[in-house]
Amino acid sequence: MDMVERYLEAVAAQLSVEERDDIVAELRDLILSRVEAKEEALDRSLTDDEREVILKEIGHPLVVAARYRKGPDSLIGPELFPYWLYGVKAGLLILLVVSGIGLLIRLISGTADAGQDIAQAFHGFFGSGLTLIGALTLAGAIMEHYAIRPKWLTDWRVKDLSAFGLSDPSWWGASVKSASDRIGAGSGPGLRPMWRTRAMRSPRDFGAEAAFSFLAVGLFVLWWVGLVHFPGLSAIRIDGDLVSVSPAPIWAVLFAPILLYALGQMGIDLFTLIRPQAARMRAVLAILVAVAGLWLTWNIFEAGHWFTLSVGAEQARIAGDGVLLDFDRLRELREGERDLTGVASTLSLILTWALAISAASLVYTIVANAWRAARA
């Protein structure tokens, strides 16, 4: 009987306090009735091994307890699993592309230890991939447990399915080839010029762009809040010395606004996937987010100081102002010094122009979407 009680205690530990007494009592009656029937058939008491055989026939305590547990019997059910699998495959491919681009930049820049950089890139991809899978699994488990079924699970349209190519490695290869074709020329079979207007583009293009943007910005959000890490961003090598990169105070001040801006962009991408035909509403939302981005760009530019490079006691600021927006300075980029001060100066010039180009792009986005909203 001690064996039976140990079995029942193992089952009870997996059940809720409110139900365990009734369930354990029911199981005890079932087990004892089988033991008594077996003893009557053999006309003797059962040995411990024979009792254990009966308990094994009833089932493992975890399996038996699961039969009485309410709610879903799987972490992610068969209805949600295909969506979870798509998110994992697409997310890992995007992580692989981002990690590959970062590694390529480091290798081209003349790294002192290519092997270490490759190992860091692999470590970063592996850690970020596990974080991504964990986040998607948690989201799927919550949806499964509380029976949450978003509208896009059932109310979908065939013309919105092009975005699912993001989970196909061959789709990425075709996209790279298409991009190279567009850069190459505007004629010839299968070639499309880069300058074609949005009116000439198909809904498939918008769906693919929105899906890619949603996943890419989502990856940025995970990195911004510290859930995903990319090695090599906090330190660089200059002349063989490891130089730490420290963010300026402006990034702490704008932490929440930048996070909200990224979430807003993800919201527009999701809206585009769900309601691709709502062109006017999409344009209005894009204007609002672009205005917020323009405000962020201006505040970052006005801060002047963006990062600090440090090696030992020596420091150099990555900072800029309107004076650097001079084409003559761009011609001097290749002649910059390779010491700490020279690298900081070069990066200051690049970031200044990057902010200026970003601001111009946001202004264009506002004007283009205003025109689109008026004509939609």
Side-chain angles (χ1 to χ4, degrees):
M1 296 306 297
D2 290 341
M3 181 182 296
V4 174
E5 292 302 323
R6 286 197 300 270
Y7 178 86
L8 293 174
E9 288 176 1
V11 175
Q14 316 306 319
L15 302 171
S16 62
V17 178
E18 297 81 6
E19 299 177 340
R20 65 175 54 172
D21 291 340
D22 295 337
I23 295 174
V24 168
E26 179 183 341
L27 281 175
R28 181 181 284 107
D29 292 340
L30 174 63
I31 294 171
L32 292 181
S33 63
R34 291 196 181 186
V35 171
E36 291 174 358
K38 190 69 172 178
E39 287 179 341
E40 290 179 2
L42 298 176
D43 194 23
R44 61 175 176 81
S45 298
L46 299 182
T47 64
D48 288 344
D49 291 340
E50 291 170 333
R51 291 192 184 93
E52 191 164 13
V53 170
I54 294 177
L55 296 177
K56 287 183 177 180
E57 291 176 351
I58 294 176
H60 192 280
L62 293 177
V63 177
V64 173
R67 297 171 187 164
Y68 294 93
R69 187 169 52 243
K70 297 179 180 179
D73 56 0
S74 58
L75 191 63
I76 298 178
E79 183 181 4
L80 291 178
F81 178 78
Y83 297 89
W84 174 88
L85 183 61
Y86 162 75
V88 169
K89 291 170 64 178
L92 289 178
L93 284 172
I94 291 178
L95 277 176
L96 183 62
V97 171
V98 173
S99 300
I101 293 174
L103 177 60
L104 180 63
I105 292 174
R106 293 177 65 85
L107 293 177
I108 292 176
S109 63
T111 176
D113 192 344
Q116 182 180 0
D117 290 335
I118 294 174
Q120 286 182 348
F122 175 79
H123 180 269
F125 170 75
F126 186 76
S128 301
L130 289 179
T131 302
L132 172 69
I133 295 174
L136 292 175
T137 303
L138 177 61
I142 293 175
M143 293 174 64
E144 187 71 42
H145 181 77
Y146 292 101
I148 300 174
R149 295 296 183 269
K151 188 178 180 181
W152 46 264
L153 284 178
T154 55
D155 187 11
W156 53 272
R157 305 178 69 179
V158 174
K159 70 178 184 178
D160 303 331
L161 300 181
S162 59
F164 290 96
L166 286 171
S167 62
D168 182 9
S170 62
W171 182 91
W172 288 84
S175 298
V176 172
K177 183 179 183 302
S178 176
S180 63
D181 289 343
R182 294 183 192 183
I183 293 174
S187 61
L191 300 184
R192 295 176 293 176
M194 295 181 64
W195 42 261
R196 66 176 184 162
T197 63
R198 291 177 69 92
M200 299 169 58
R201 296 163 68 189
S202 66
R204 173 171 182 162
D205 292 326
F206 290 117
E209 288 178 4
F212 178 82
S213 175
F214 180 83
L215 294 174
V217 178
L219 181 62
F220 167 79
V221 169
L222 292 176
W223 171 77
W224 188 250
V225 299
L227 295 179
V228 171
H229 301 280
F230 295 104
L233 295 181
S234 59
I236 59 176
R237 287 190 177 274
I238 300 176
D239 291 337
D241 296 327
L242 187 62
V243 179
S244 62
V245 182
S246 305
I250 185 60
W251 302 110
V253 174
L254 296 179
F255 177 84
I258 291 176
L259 177 60
L260 293 175
Y261 171 74
L263 293 176
Q265 183 59 56
M266 292 180 66
I268 293 179
D269 296 330
L270 188 60
F271 181 80
T272 302
L273 292 172
I274 298 175
R275 297 283 303 278
Q277 70 279 7
R280 176 171 293 171
M281 179 59 69
R282 185 169 65 246
V284 171
L285 293 176
I287 291 173
L288 295 176
V289 173
V291 169
L294 196 59
W295 177 83
L296 284 172
T297 304
W298 173 254
N299 279 272
I300 294 172
F301 184 80
E302 279 291 292
H305 174 209
W306 304 315
F307 298 96
T308 300
L309 303 182
S310 304
V311 53
E314 187 179 359
Q315 291 186 343
R317 283 190 170 194
I318 298 178
D321 52 35
V323 177
L324 296 179
L325 296 175
D326 185 351
F327 285 103
D328 291 333
R329 290 182 177 269
L330 289 178
R331 300 189 185 98
E332 300 172 359
L333 271 178
R334 301 178 63 179
E335 302 174 1
E337 298 292 336
R338 295 300 178 182
D339 58 1
L340 185 66
T341 303
V343 170
S345 177
T346 300
L347 292 177
S348 298
L349 181 60
I350 292 174
L351 287 180
T352 299
W353 275 92
L355 288 172
I357 295 172
S358 175
S361 175
L362 289 168
V363 170
Y364 170 80
T365 299
I366 294 172
V367 174
N369 280 282
W371 175 255
R372 196 169 297 116
R375 298 187 58 187

